Structure formats: structure tokens, C-alpha cells
Amino acid sequence: MIKSELSLVTAFLGFFGLWTVGMFVVCLIRSASWDKQNRMTAALLPQIREALVDYLAGSDNRSRLREFVRISRGDVGAAVMSFQGTVSGSARDLLCELALELALVHDWCQDAHSRNVMQRRMGFSRLSFVCSFEPCRRVAGDILLHALDDSDREVQLSASRALAQSGGIGEVERVFQHAVSGDPMNRILLTQELRHHAVPLCERAIQKELQSGDPVRIQATLQMAAAWECALPLLGIGELLDAQDRRLRLMALRLASMVPDSPGIRKGILEALADPDPEIASSAAGAAGRLRMEAALPVLARCLRLGDATLARSAAAALADMPPLGWGVLEEFKASSNQITAQAASEALDRARGAA
Amino acid sequence: MISLLAQWAALALFVSGAVSFVLLLKGCFVLRRYARGRSRDESIILLKSALMPMVSVVAVPPDGSRESRAFVRRLLDLHFANREVVLVLEDPSEPEFETWAAEFRLAATSRGAWESLDPMRLVVVKTKRTGVAAAYNAGVAKAAGSLIAVFDHEGDFIPEALLRLIPPMLQDPEGIAAVCGIVPDFASGSLIQRFSTLESLRLWLARCAAFAGWNMLIPVPGCCMLIRRDVILQAGGFPVAEEQPGLAAPLELILHLHGLARKSGARFRMALVAEPVSHVPAPQSRGNLRRLIANDQRALFSALRHRNSIARGTRAIGWGLIALAYDRVVRPLLETALYVLTAIGIVMGLVPLQVGLLVLLCTAGTGILVSMAAVILRELTEYRGSEPGQLTRLFFAAFPENLGYRQMRNLWLVGSFLKNKTR
């Protein structure tokens, strides 16, 4: 019996051993080839970037770039993309024009149709950069719009970004709806892209969402609008300051100082300042400070005196925004026996005087 | 009789080796799927976004030592726009609290806590020494964030850890209630480092990735976690008391959450973030390696000892906890006993030499191939290759690992088990 057991185990281990050694050789070859590719890219990329910089600086010699494209199209594409965060305006247009001329845009359009998700993602992320240039957009056609329904979220995101950068208001509204109905991650990533369209979005798309009656969509809309941190021609925020839903109320308070001022909004802020919930009171303090509501001075002083560190800091910051009366209150509280009050008042005053 | 017993035991160990390989393979597939679905790094946008939820990092340091204070400093240095650190001090002595207060400029608040006067969000809570779980619960009660972050002291985490951990929770806020981030250290310097790397590779592929694939992921040494605060509160907080800070309390909490979900049919999923957010640095000395193994053993043993406080007890994650207990206690015990029994049997002429060979093949032989497979499978999880020299060094380290270190490690595991049992 021991002999058969031994031979069985040996056979299993032998087979397993062969597989392991075979896979090890495969991995080793793969590593070596990756290493070689990396070294080649490391040597090539600075040269391509240099040639691109020359081109952007006005050099008309494109033969060198064509030679690079012949050696490694992928590296040229990567080099073009590495300028994404650094060029804008006419330089960006020049770069996009070059990508079109070298047929890189056509490659990326093909990649965008690939069944391989990694390739598709790369294609769309590159298209999202070049589609701000109208001729490139024409080559891409409806690919971007269709990609909003792609099964891969990364592809959807790249397409949304591209449309937010270069699309008309109808397409931007569609991206906005996509962001509102999507998950929080999508919303966070698209908020900055949609900021440039904040005013046109307020005219129709945002009002429509606020009137939808769906608290989840309303909250998502308010979150995005508040994150834009700019003045918005938005109506109907005053009613939301009294909302039963705490999250909606907090969001409305954050938006209160960004929308057209009204007595309803001021009343809502004053009521929120007296709220026992410190987070609501803190948000209200922020809004009162930004609106320089002198009527809120007594309540802010009370928050500074009795609130926890976060509320005290918010109240102090709000008072610091309201010289000279607010500064007077802070001066008074600098000598408070409550360490947190004194510290918050002192810091806010120092900051305000420093800024002045 | 002894010969037959040795043969059966050897075959049982061979089967368990084969099961280990299946787990590694499953882990490899899970990680490949993860690598395919991995989004590009959007940390910069997440860092600047005003839409990020608030995260409260809860820390329960063991003492007021310089290391503990440095650990809290590192937590305060985490990059995240909307976060606070809730530091829970268990019954600190007057001088110890003075040290904390001086280091972080603490001032008492009206809420029965202390906050830093420096421009950082640090809340300090003092509790009675009634166990680490109670301390964590006090921290969660004071936390203002909707997400609770817990970092293992053993782990070396990057400042962007929270930004890298949060995406799965933002992508599926209803489905994913917790995330756990860890990668193995791929060091291949000294032999001890290579042994440690092989060990962490097996742990990462099997206990992290494969278990995540079956929704049985539990915290591992060196990891960092994000857990939804409402889920912790609904479960009644951290379930049991443990004497020393470490991985035990978070491990028992996650087991409890898994158990509750399985019991009620509710959704609970802890996602794995297989990105370099945190890792356990490969130890340089044998003593440190032994300490790391003992710490992990202590946390697992604590969970087993407190199984009555955990929903569904040892079946909280199905067969997972039982398999871990087998791997960490039964297998080393059986293997050690088998070596002794076979050696004595051969000396006394009761066991033929062929049985000795079978034992060696089923233990060390299988172990060598499993370790080699771990190196290869880890390589296949990535779409880019490692440095060839490093790969070769780790691949061949499987020989000395299983012909000497493995046997010593078995003794450490058994010793640690007995030490925990008699405590």
C-alpha cells in the first residue's frame, strides 16, 4: 500500500512541479519582456516629450514625431496624454491637431470600439482629452454619447467628462442627470467638470431635479450645487431650510449664501443657528458669516461661548467676517475663561486681521 | 499500526496542501478580476471634493509611549479633507495624560472630551480600562463621521490610505459596508525577509483575496479598514472585551457583522482594496517574524475564545474560521506530531523508510510547491511583471522555507496557541 501511496503522491507532486516550473519560466519571460519594454519607454518618452514641446513652441518639423509614431504609437499617445494637465487653449488645440494628423485619434476611436475593456477605457480616456477640439470631436462622432450607456463605469466617466468639456447644453444636461442618478463616486468626479455649466444648468436641469420630489435626487443635486462653491441663480432654497430631512437642511444651509438673498433665507439661517444640532448650527454660522448678517451677532456670540470646538470655531469665523461689530465681540471673548472660546476667538481675530 | 497512522496523517496533510493551492488559485482569479475593474487613481479629485463623507479614525493606543504618539501623528497626517482622529485613552495615569496633552495641546471641552488647540481635528476620550472593545465603542460614540477608520499598529500605511480605501464604498454605498486594504511586502533581501514575504503572499491570496471572493473577508495583520458607523451601531458596537490593543477587537467586530448578516439574511460585504495602502514591513530578524506570527495567532485565538459573543460563533463566516483554526493550530500540531512519531518509528524499526519519505513529500514537498505557486500566482494577478531577479529569489526561497523554517514555524504556532490557551 505504501508503494502505491508514494507513487500517487509523487505523480501528483511531479505534475504540479512541472506546472509550477513551466509557469515560473513564463512569468520570468514576461517579467523580462516587461522590463525591456519599460526601459525602452523610459528612453523614448523624454525624447517624444521634447519633440512635442518643440512642436508646441512653433517648430514645424514633424518628421521626428512621425518617426516616433513608427517606432511606438503607444508611447506617442502616452506622451500626448502627459500634457493633459499642463496645456490649454491654443496649445491644446495644436496638440489635438497633431494627434489627428498622426492618425492617433483614429486609433483611439478604434480602441473605443474594442471588446477588451482595458483597451476601451484607454481609448475613451484619450478621446475625452482631444474631443475638446472640434475636428477631433467630428471624427469621434456619436461614440461619446453612446458610451454613456457603456457597461463599464470608467468608460462612462471618460465619456461624461468629454461631453461636459465639449458638448452642447443638451449633452451637458444629460451628463448632469447621469451624475445625479449615479453613485456618489461618479457625482464627486463629475462635479468639477460640470461647474463650468453651473449657470445654464440652474435654468432648467437643476430646477427640474429640485421639483422632482425625490429626496435622494434633491440631495444629490444640492450636494453638487454646494460643491461648485459659486453664486447660483437658484430659487426655492428658502423652503428647504425648514425641511424635515436633516441632510437636506444641512445642504440647503450650505447653499444659502450662494443663492439670491431673501428674507426667507435670512429667517431660516437665524432659526438654524439656535438649533440644538451642532452641525446644523455650524453650517448656519458659516452662512451667516458669508452673508454678513449682523442680526445674527447675539446668536453667534452664544455659539462661541457655549458650543463645542467645531461650533465655536465656525461662530468665531463668522464673527470675523463682520467687522467692526463682529471683531468687537471676538475681542471681548479673547479673554474668556473657557479655553476653547478664547482660543477660537483669538485665532479667528488673528486670521481676520492678518487678511485685512 | 504506527506506520498506518503516519500514512493517513501524511495523506491528510497532502490534501490540506492541495486545498491551500485551490485557495491560492481562487485568490489569483479574484485579484485578476479586481485588477481589471480597478479604476484609475482619482485621489486628487477626491481630496479636493466637498462631497466626501466625513471619516473618523478611531485609535486605541496601548500606552503613552513615543511609538504610540508617533502612530497618532501618522493618523493625523492622513490626507483627507473631511476627517477627524478620535483617540481613546484607557485609564491613563496622570503623567501619561500630561504627555498626551502636551504633545497635542489638548483642552477640555464641554462634551466631556479633549480637543486639540492646534489646527487639526483631534478628539481625545478617556475611558476606564474595561477592555479594548469598550474603548473602541467609546471612540465610535464620540465620532462625528459616518465612516469609521481603524488602522492596525503593525501596518505601514501611506498618507493617501483613506483616499484609496474609500472608492468601493462610494461606488456601492448600500452594498459595501466595510473595506479592508492591504498588500504584501515584496521584499527579497535576507532569507528571513523572503520567508516573511512568502508567508504574506499566501495570506494575501488565500485569506484576503479568496475569502473576499466568497464574502468571508476578515481583517489581517497590518491592514487598514473603513467601516460604516451605522452598521457598527446597529450591531451593538464592538462585541467583546480583549485585554490588549491589536487586531483582535476589529477582527471580532467584522466576524460579528458577517455573522449577523448571515443570520438575518441582510447584506454585509467587506471589500478588499488590493492596492498599496498598507503593508506589514518584512521583518529583519527572526524574533520580529515570530512576534508578528504570534500577534496574528493571538487575534484569531481571541476570536475563537469569544465565539459566544459573535453572531453564529465559529460559523460567522461559514467554514472560514474553522479552516483558519485548522491551518493555524491543528495542521502545525499534526505535522509536528507526525515528524516526531515518524522519526521515533524509524529509529525503533516500526515505520519503514518509505513512510518517512511519504511524510516528507506530503509536508515539505507540498509546502515547497504551494509557496512557489504563491509567487507565480501573485505575479499573474498583475498586468505588469516584477523584477526578474526578485522573482527568482522568492521562487527558490521556497526550498529553505519548507526545509527548516516551516518546522520551526509550526513550533511557534503551537507554542503561541498553548500560551494563549493557558492565559
Side-chain angles (χ1 to χ4, degrees):
Chain A
M1 188 183 164
I2 178 68
K3 275 188 182 168
S4 56
E5 281 172 3
L6 205 53
S7 23
L8 194 72
V9 168
T10 313
F12 265 116
L13 291 183
F15 173 74
F16 187 29
L18 276 176
W19 178 85
T20 310
V21 172
M23 289 305 287
F24 174 63
V25 173
V26 170
C27 287
L28 217 52
I29 293 169
R30 186 170 163 258
S31 290
S33 108
W34 183 262
D35 207 35
K36 193 179 155 195
Q37 174 71 36
N38 265 357
R39 267 185 278 131
M40 194 181 103
T41 302
L44 213 56
L45 217 51
Q47 295 177 44
I48 303 173
R49 280 184 62 87
E50 198 184 318
L52 285 172
V53 170
D54 285 348
Y55 169 75
L56 291 176
S59 161
D60 210 23
N61 180 12
R62 297 178 195 189
S63 56
R64 199 166 158 221
L65 283 164
R66 286 208 181 85
E67 180 60 20
F68 285 130
V69 169
R70 198 186 56 75
I71 299 170
S72 173
R73 296 185 78 83
D75 285 334
V76 177
V80 168
M81 288 302 288
S82 69
F83 284 88
Q84 194 170 7
T86 48
V87 294
S88 60
S90 59
R92 184 177 174 143
D93 287 352
L94 262 179
L95 210 56
C96 297
E97 194 183 353
L98 180 73
L100 194 62
E101 193 185 313
L102 298 175
L104 293 174
V105 178
H106 296 82
D107 286 358
W108 300 338
C109 286
Q110 271 184 355
D111 287 345
H113 285 112
S114 168
R115 292 181 73 175
N116 179 338
V117 72
M118 306 297 275
Q119 210 172 340
R120 208 160 69 235
R121 277 180 190 176
M122 199 176 69
F124 273 107
S125 82
R126 291 178 175 186
L127 282 177
S128 77
F129 172 55
V130 293
C131 277
S132 58
F133 184 57
E134 187 51 33
C136 291
R137 182 77 207 277
R138 277 201 298 273
V139 171
D142 283 344
I143 295 178
L144 294 173
L145 212 54
H146 293 314
L148 285 181
D149 301 320
D150 195 281
S151 56
D152 185 66
R153 50 171 295 121
E154 190 90 357
V155 169
Q156 285 179 18
L157 189 67
S158 293
S160 302
R161 278 176 167 163
L163 288 171
Q165 276 173 26
S166 60
I169 186 64
E171 285 159 337
V172 171
E173 281 185 359
R174 201 166 153 208
V175 173
F176 177 75
Q177 280 165 4
H178 179 70
V180 168
S181 52
D183 56 56
M185 182 77 177
N186 236 3
R187 206 172 305 140
I188 287 167
L189 298 178
L190 288 174
T191 296
Q192 277 311 307
E193 305 288 347
L194 290 167
R195 189 174 187 270
H196 312 292
H197 308 282
V199 175
L201 283 171
C202 281
E203 282 170 14
R204 205 171 48 191
I206 294 182
Q207 293 294 353
K208 197 176 145 194
E209 292 296 344
L210 291 182
Q211 285 157 14
S212 68
D214 179 351
V216 179
R217 289 186 78 90
I218 295 175
Q219 203 204 340
T221 306
L222 292 178
Q223 276 179 342
M224 289 181 72
W228 286 332
E229 289 175 339
C230 59
L232 298 168
L234 199 58
L235 303 171
I237 295 299
E239 289 85 62
L240 290 169
L241 290 175
D242 304 324
Q244 293 293 313
D245 190 327
R246 180 180 174 272
R247 288 172 306 173
L248 285 188
R249 204 171 165 208
L250 274 171
M251 277 296 123
L253 279 166
R254 281 183 62 187
L255 264 176
S257 57
M258 302 177 201
V259 297
D261 196 3
S262 72
I265 284 181
R266 287 183 175 251
K267 184 173 162 275
I269 292 172
L270 278 175
E271 280 171 9
L273 268 172
D275 200 279
D277 185 334
E279 206 180 339
I280 289 198
S282 282
S283 295
R290 281 190 292 271
L291 289 175
R292 300 184 200 285
M293 282 173 57
E294 289 190 353
L297 277 172
V299 201
L300 285 172
R302 187 176 165 274
C303 291
L304 176 58
R305 193 161 48 89
L306 301 174
D308 62 15
T310 313
L311 180 55
R313 279 181 192 146
S314 304
L319 288 166
D321 283 338
M322 290 186 250
L325 287 175
W327 288 18
V329 176
L330 288 174
E331 197 67 61
E332 199 180 309
F333 279 113
K334 254 175 84 175
S336 166
S337 57
N338 184 335
Q339 230 180 331
I340 285 180
T341 305
Q343 184 77 23
S346 166
E347 275 176 7
L349 207 52
D350 289 348
R351 229 180 355 256
R353 282 182 176 152
Chain B
M1 180 65 183
I2 295 177
S3 170
L4 206 63
L5 209 67
Q7 285 172 48
W8 280 110
L11 288 176
L13 288 171
F14 178 70
V15 171
S16 78
V19 171
S20 300
F21 175 70
V22 172
L23 284 173
L24 296 181
L25 205 60
K26 166 78 181 173
C28 175
F29 286 129
V30 170
L31 288 170
R32 275 184 74 83
R33 199 172 60 225
Y34 173 80
R36 253 198 316 273
R38 183 161 43 198
S39 314
R40 64 180 153 192
D41 185 17
E42 306 279 10
S43 299
I44 300 291
I45 299 177
L46 296 183
L47 179 65
K48 290 193 288 187
S49 175
L51 297 179
M52 292 293 274
M54 186 175 175
V55 173
S56 298
V57 184
V58 178
V60 184
D63 48 34
S65 65
R66 188 183 296 173
E67 289 76 28
S68 296
R69 296 200 306 273
F71 176 69
V72 175
R73 279 259 171 237
R74 283 171 60 215
L75 294 178
L76 287 164
D77 288 342
L78 284 168
H79 298 179
F80 201 82
N82 197 8
R83 63 115 180 84
E84 64 170 4
V85 174
V86 181
L87 175 65
V88 188
L89 301 176
E90 286 185 286
D91 216 2
S93 62
E94 204 56 43
E96 197 175 281
F97 187 74
E98 284 302 316
T99 315
W100 284 106
E103 172 115 18
F104 295 104
R105 295 185 66 222
L106 301 179
T109 68
S110 52
R111 291 193 301 162
W114 285 259
E115 289 185 19
S116 177
L117 294 174
D118 288 333
M120 56 185 167
R121 293 178 79 173
L122 172 67
V123 180
V124 180
V125 187
K126 275 205 273 188
T127 63
K128 292 256 180 283
R129 196 175 284 276
T130 50
V132 177
Y136 271 110
N137 285 330
V140 171
K142 272 281 182 255
S146 57
L147 297 174
I148 301 294
V150 178
F151 287 76
D152 186 27
H153 292 74
E154 301 285 0
D156 192 357
F157 52 87
I158 57 168
E160 298 84 11
L162 291 174
L163 293 169
R164 299 275 190 94
L165 279 175
I166 206 166
M169 298 185 98
L170 293 173
Q171 285 164 8
D172 185 6
E174 299 302 317
I176 294 175
V179 287
C180 170
I182 182 103
V183 284
D185 192 6
F186 212 57
S188 62
S190 67
L191 211 53
I192 289 289
Q193 283 188 323
R194 290 181 215 173
F195 295 161
S196 167
T197 302
L198 288 174
E199 188 142 346
S200 56
L201 283 179
R202 288 194 302 264
L203 177 133
W204 191 55
L205 283 161
R207 214 165 113 187
C208 295
F211 274 30
W214 285 310
N215 192 19
M216 302 196 305
L217 180 62
I218 50 174
V220 293
C223 72
C224 41
M225 285 160 275
L226 266 183
I227 312 159
R228 258 174 37 205
R229 185 168 179 264
D230 60 330
V231 171
I232 301 178
L233 294 178
Q234 275 166 23
F238 284 72
V240 279
E242 173 61 24
E243 299 79 15
Q244 291 173 35
L247 191 65
L251 173 67
E252 286 164 25
L253 170 72
I254 298 298
L255 281 169
H256 188 52
L257 294 175
H258 272 298
L260 282 175
R262 279 162 197 261
K263 205 170 167 181
S264 63
R267 276 178 84 186
F268 174 77
R269 187 168 192 88
M270 186 182 212
L272 175 69
V273 176
E275 284 183 39
V277 285
S278 180
H279 71 277
V280 182
Q284 301 275 8
S285 68
R286 206 171 63 172
N288 276 342
L289 182 57
R290 184 177 182 177
R291 187 182 53 78
L292 282 178
I293 291 172
N295 283 351
D296 187 21
Q297 193 81 332
R298 187 169 61 79
L300 278 173
F301 192 80
S302 168
L304 288 171
R305 195 170 44 204
H306 297 131
R307 61 189 176 278
N308 292 336
S309 315
I310 295 169
R312 278 175 55 111
T314 50
R315 290 181 302 118
I317 50 168
W319 50 266
L321 199 56
I322 297 163
L324 280 176
Y326 168 80
D327 184 54
R328 307 288 297 194
V329 182
V330 181
R331 191 201 51 75
L333 205 62
L334 182 67
E335 202 173 301
T336 309
L338 183 62
Y339 285 138
V340 175
L341 193 75
T342 312
I344 293 172
I346 289 172
V347 171
M348 291 175 70
L350 297 170
V351 173
L353 269 174
Q354 284 167 320
V355 174
L357 186 62
L358 181 74
V359 168
L360 212 58
L361 281 177
C362 291
T363 54
T366 314
I368 288 170
L369 291 175
V370 166
S371 292
M372 286 175 162
V375 176
I376 291 163
L377 293 172
R378 184 258 169 212
E379 195 63 14
L380 296 177
T381 60
E382 294 282 328
Y383 284 95
R384 44 193 288 177
S386 311
E387 199 259 308
Q390 195 180 31
L391 192 66
T392 312
R393 280 194 294 277
L394 281 176
F395 187 77
F396 288 109
F399 285 102
E401 191 215 9
N402 285 279
L403 299 169
Y405 170 70
R406 179 190 175 98
Q407 291 70 23
M408 190 169 66
R409 180 178 173 271
N410 284 342
L411 291 175
W412 291 350
L413 289 172
V414 174
S416 179
F417 166 71
L418 293 174
K419 195 175 150 194
N420 282 307
K421 197 170 184 299
T422 50
R423 195 197 288 160

